Amino acid sequence: MRYFTSDTHFGHPLVTALRGFLNNGRLRAEYRDVWQAQGRAAAHAWIKQYVRDNQTSFKAICDIARHENTIIGNINELVGRDDELWILGDLSYRCTVEHTLDCLRRINCRHLHLIIGNHDRNFRLRSNDALYENVFETIDDYREIDMELPVLDGTGKPTAATTRQTIGMSHFPRLSALTEEHGNWPENWNKFADVAPTTEGWLLYGHTHQDVPDGTDPRSVNVGLDAWDFKPVSEQQILAWLVSRCADQSK
């Protein structure tokens, strides 16, 4: 079976804190309360203001070990040793290569694949692929595979029928989406227009840290951890989700 995920951000204090992995129980509870009462954007603003007001840092207040243990534990619970796991970028940040490799070696899957994200060491210097050649079977900026996907109708809209089709994988949403308004997407989304995929076909992506699988259009799916309860998503789940969305849209 094939699984997909994105934005593990091993070793990254900012993302660890924004996801609520804080090392102080009182602060963690307050952050959760703000999130539940006012929403995710308000919680993010609140914890950033807390750091400024208390002249501290995200590194000082986050719980990186618990963040990484949660992600790796969820992967190992779902992904089998002989399955495939595709990580669609932003594997790690603000940590050493040795730490990143340690996290990867704790994943009990023999078939790991990386799609390069903007925070990955490989992003601009491909000679660094050699650092990970013993853990990843493939390392690419963009890759296409075949999987079962909804059939399109005459207007190009997905239907409930399915067939084997090609789907692209990128860390970034498609180029056409980067020219539109994006609500609470990362503020730097438009910096990556030159590396965003130009395909208008089926697409899996990450990067945006959206908290829902909804893609930027009906033919794309966000596989980032924030959208799937910090768990990888299988190709069967992706198909089921797309078919369900097609059914909802037809009502």
Side-chain angles (χ1 to χ4, degrees), residues 49-62:
Q49 189 63 49
Y50 174 90
V51 168
R52 288 191 292 267
D53 290 345
N54 290 273
Q55 297 183 333
T56 185
S57 66
F58 289 107
K59 184 176 182 179
I61 67 171
C62 75

Side-chain angles (χ1 to χ4, degrees), residues 5 7-11 19 21 64-80 85 87 91-92 98-109 112 225 229-232:
T5 193
D7 299 279
T8 50
H9 283 271
F10 296 138
R19 285 173 170 169
F21 290 85
I64 285 179
R66 190 165 66 89
H67 177 249
E68 294 172 346
N69 290 341
T70 298
I71 293 171
I72 295 170
N74 287 345
I75 290 173
N76 288 338
E77 184 177 344
L78 295 172
V79 181
L85 176 63
I87 302 176
L91 174 65
S92 62
E98 290 74 18
H99 183 81
T100 302
L101 288 170
D102 178 67
C103 290
L104 289 169
R105 288 167 180 151
R106 290 168 56 198
I107 296 175
N108 297 325
C109 176
L112 299 180
L225 283 173
D229 195 26
F230 299 106
K231 298 175 182 177

Side-chain angles (χ1 to χ4, degrees), residues 219-248:
R219 297 184 69 182
S220 64
V221 181
N222 166 32
V223 299
L225 283 173
D226 302 275
W228 296 93
D229 195 26
F230 299 106
K231 298 175 182 177
V233 55
S234 70
E235 56 187 306
Q236 288 86 347
Q237 286 176 285
I238 290 172
L239 176 60
W241 185 82
L242 286 169
V243 170
S244 174
R245 187 169 66 169
C246 293
D248 291 340

Side-chain angles (χ1 to χ4, degrees), residues 61-194:
I61 67 171
C62 75
D63 190 342
I64 285 179
R66 190 165 66 89
H67 177 249
E68 294 172 346
N69 290 341
T70 298
I71 293 171
I72 295 170
N74 287 345
I75 290 173
N76 288 338
E77 184 177 344
L78 295 172
V79 181
R81 182 166 175 78
D82 294 318
D83 292 332
E84 290 183 13
L85 176 63
W86 293 79
I87 302 176
L88 272 58
D90 283 6
L91 174 65
S92 62
Y93 190 56
R94 303 279 185 187
C95 65
T96 64
V97 172
E98 290 74 18
H99 183 81
T100 302
L101 288 170
D102 178 67
C103 290
L104 289 169
R105 288 167 180 151
R106 290 168 56 198
I107 296 175
N108 297 325
C109 176
R110 296 189 301 173
H111 307 293
L112 299 180
H113 302 266
L114 177 66
I115 302 296
I116 297 169
N118 53 292
H119 283 311
D120 297 318
R121 285 179 59 92
N122 312 62
F123 188 55
R124 291 186 176 86
L125 189 60
R126 293 305 304 273
S127 61
N128 284 330
D129 289 2
L131 298 171
Y132 302 103
E133 63 185 1
N134 291 329
V135 290
F136 285 116
E137 292 186 349
T138 62
I139 299 176
D140 296 284
D141 294 289
Y142 174 83
R143 188 73 176 262
E144 292 183 347
I145 58 174
D146 290 337
M147 62 183 286
E148 197 75 10
L149 294 162
V151 174
L152 303 179
D153 65 17
T155 66
K157 294 182 179 179
T159 69
T162 68
T163 190
R164 199 90 176 156
Q165 300 174 62
T166 298
I167 190 166
M169 293 178 291
S170 170
H171 177 64
F172 305 99
R174 66 178 91 249
L175 178 60
S176 58
L178 293 183
T179 62
E180 303 169 356
E181 294 296 329
H182 307 294
N184 62 353
W185 284 22
E187 295 177 356
N188 62 355
W189 58 266
N190 56 349
K191 288 174 55 179
F192 305 108
D194 59 334

